[in-house]
Amino acid sequence: MKEKKSLTLGIDIAVDMIGGILIALGTYNFAAAANFPMVGINGIALIFYHIFGTPIGLMAIFLNIPIAIGCFKILGRSFFLRSIRTIVITSVIMDYIAPLFPVYEGDRLLAAICTGILSGLGFALIYMRNSSTGGVDFVMLSVKAKKPHISMGKITFVLDFIVVLIGTIVVSRDMDSLIYGIIITYLISIVLDKVMYGIDAGKLTLIITDFPERVAEKIDTLVGRGATFVKAEGSFSHEKKDIVMCACNNKQMFAIRNAVKEIDRHAFVIIMESNEVLGEGFKNH
């Protein structure tokens, strides 16, 4: 039991270091150098860095203290302690490791893309180990705890856009910087969702047809996926029908849609994004 806990702790620390390096490179070596407004608590720390020259990591620790205390009850002791460890590791890397790497001084669009991708990867790795870099992350994960149906990427985009807007107004006062900041925010949210959910993401379809049995059989023959019949009743005609529900990946959905069209060209087909699919034929619980 102790060996398992030690192994888990070792993996957590290793992931914190890798994630911290990615976030630090995105923030210090790309965003700060290009004078971009950055997201999250690092974005606020970056404002102090540009105005007063205070170290980004050290300022991030100070800014995290009141937010961490305020969110402690919602997030719980275990998550709080893990996050404190991540905050310290990330902040040390930001102030002492990132400056050892060269600062990018090339095209600003490339800098924005690198900032978004590197930071998004770093945040995703840390979140997947059930930890956070604190600050806005605490607020974001508190919202996620209250509203679990909202994806992490969407919550991140809204909160980080506010920080980016403040950073632009206070520091750069440049419309180009605001646009680049929005690009960075969007990239981080996309990378977050793709890394955390994308591997197991897929499509969910609801098919309303007069031939549910034939459609279900065709789906099984075509892509090897089972389907579920959902009993439904039309609100206008009060006609009872079986809705065919099926979860599959993106490539399979294209084949299913075409097959349904061949069986029943009047079928009503609803196709939805599915962030994550668990169960037989997909990822295990």
Side-chain angles (χ1 to χ4, degrees):
M1 195 68 176
K2 288 183 179 180
E3 291 181 358
K4 187 177 180 180
K5 287 184 178 180
S6 298
L7 178 61
T8 301
L9 178 60
I11 295 173
D12 287 344
I13 292 174
V15 171
D16 282 348
M17 293 177 68
I18 295 170
I21 289 172
L22 292 171
I23 294 169
L25 289 176
T27 303
Y28 183 88
N29 300 79
F30 288 95
N35 202 31
F36 291 148
M38 192 53 183
V39 299
I41 204 71
N42 287 335
I44 300 174
L46 198 57
I47 295 173
F48 286 90
Y49 170 79
H50 283 301
I51 297 176
F52 303 110
T54 53
I56 300 172
L58 181 62
M59 182 54 64
I61 291 177
F62 283 124
L63 292 172
N64 269 311
I65 294 173
I67 300 175
I69 294 173
C71 297
F72 176 78
K73 290 184 178 180
I74 297 175
L75 300 174
R77 180 176 179 275
S78 178
F79 181 82
F80 175 81
L81 293 176
R82 285 195 301 272
S83 297
I84 292 299
R85 181 198 63 222
T86 302
I87 291 166
V88 172
I89 291 175
T90 304
S91 297
V92 169
I93 290 173
M94 183 77 71
D95 290 343
Y96 295 100
I97 304 299
L100 299 177
F101 291 87
V103 172
Y104 181 75
E105 297 178 349
D107 184 77
R108 295 189 82 197
L109 179 59
L110 291 178
I113 293 172
C114 289
T115 299
I117 292 175
L118 290 173
S119 299
L121 286 172
F123 287 129
L125 289 174
I126 290 170
Y127 296 156
M128 289 169 73
R129 296 302 298 179
N130 197 24
S131 186
S132 86
T133 55
V136 175
D137 290 350
F138 282 155
V139 178
M140 177 182 64
L141 291 170
S142 296
V143 173
K144 181 69 175 176
K146 295 287 187 181
K147 304 286 185 180
H149 61 282
I150 304 178
S151 76
M152 197 77 81
K154 290 184 177 66
I155 300 172
T156 302
F157 182 81
V158 172
L159 293 177
D160 285 343
F161 176 76
I162 295 172
V163 177
V164 166
L165 185 60
I166 294 172
T168 302
I169 294 172
V170 175
V171 179
S172 61
R173 299 177 184 177
D174 176 13
M175 184 58 70
D176 284 348
S177 294
L178 175 61
I179 294 172
Y180 284 126
I182 293 172
I183 292 173
I184 292 169
T185 304
Y186 179 73
L187 284 174
I188 290 177
S189 69
I190 291 297
V191 172
L192 262 177
D193 279 347
K194 289 300 179 183
V195 173
M196 295 182 73
Y197 308 115
I199 296 174
D200 304 297
K203 301 287 187 182
L204 176 68
T205 183
L206 299 175
I207 304 165
I208 303 174
T209 174
D210 292 327
F211 312 101
E213 295 284 351
R214 286 177 58 190
V215 168
E217 184 179 346
K218 187 66 174 180
I219 291 173
D220 182 45
T221 303
L222 195 62
V223 298
R225 292 290 181 194
T228 300
F229 294 134
V230 180
K231 301 296 181 182
E233 180 180 335
S235 63
F236 180 74
S237 65
H238 295 287
E239 182 182 354
K240 297 187 186 320
K241 282 189 176 183
D242 285 335
I243 296 177
V244 182
M245 183 176 71
C246 179
C248 61
N249 63 39
N250 295 330
K251 292 180 181 178
Q252 291 170 337
M253 182 55 68
F254 180 79
I256 290 172
R257 185 179 63 177
N258 289 341
V260 171
K261 193 182 298 183
E262 291 177 4
I263 295 172
D264 182 4
R265 64 188 184 90
H266 298 295
F268 191 75
V269 182
I270 303 170
I271 300 174
M272 298 173 285
E273 295 290 337
S274 179
N275 278 341
E276 190 169 22
V277 183
L278 305 176
E280 185 177 354
F282 295 93
K283 181 180 176 181
N284 292 327
H285 292 274

